[in-house]
């Protein structure tokens, strides 16, 4: 079953400030959805996003 996280949960999970998570969500740079006025995150989508972020730049030749 897919776990749903709050901004506070995601901030702790990513070890960043809650404001950073809010900004990423508002800018649609992290997978998120709103329930009323509150942001929510699916943990499986978040983990997929983390993997994608980790893979960016690999093999692009930009690492000189």
């Amino acid at each position: 079953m897919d776990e749903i996280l709050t901004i506070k949960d995601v901030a702790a999970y990513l070890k960043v400030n809650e404001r950073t998570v809010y900004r990423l969500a508002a800018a649609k740079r992290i997978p998120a959805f709103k329930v009323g006025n509150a942001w929510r995150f699916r943990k499986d989508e978040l983990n997929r996003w983390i993997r994608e972020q980790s893979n960016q730049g690999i093999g692009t030749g930009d690492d000189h």
Side-chain angles (χ1 to χ4, degrees):
M1 187 155 164
D2 192 16
E3 187 176 353
I4 303 296
L5 306 174
T6 64
I7 282 187
K8 187 173 189 172
D9 297 332
V10 174
Y13 188 57
L14 297 178
K15 297 182 178 17
V16 297
N17 190 285
E18 290 178 33
R19 187 173 297 279
T20 300
V21 178
Y22 178 84
R23 286 183 189 144
L24 289 169
K28 299 182 180 180
R29 295 188 60 204
I30 192 169
F33 62 97
K34 277 193 154 187
V35 177
N37 290 328
W39 287 104
R40 294 292 182 261
F41 307 82
R42 287 186 178 91
K43 192 169 186 179
D44 65 335
E45 290 181 4
L46 191 58
N47 286 328
R48 187 176 315 117
W49 177 81
I50 291 167
R51 283 191 301 276
E52 289 169 2
Q53 299 306 300
S54 298
N55 290 333
Q56 282 186 357
I58 295 174
T60 63
D62 292 339
D63 56 329
H64 345 273

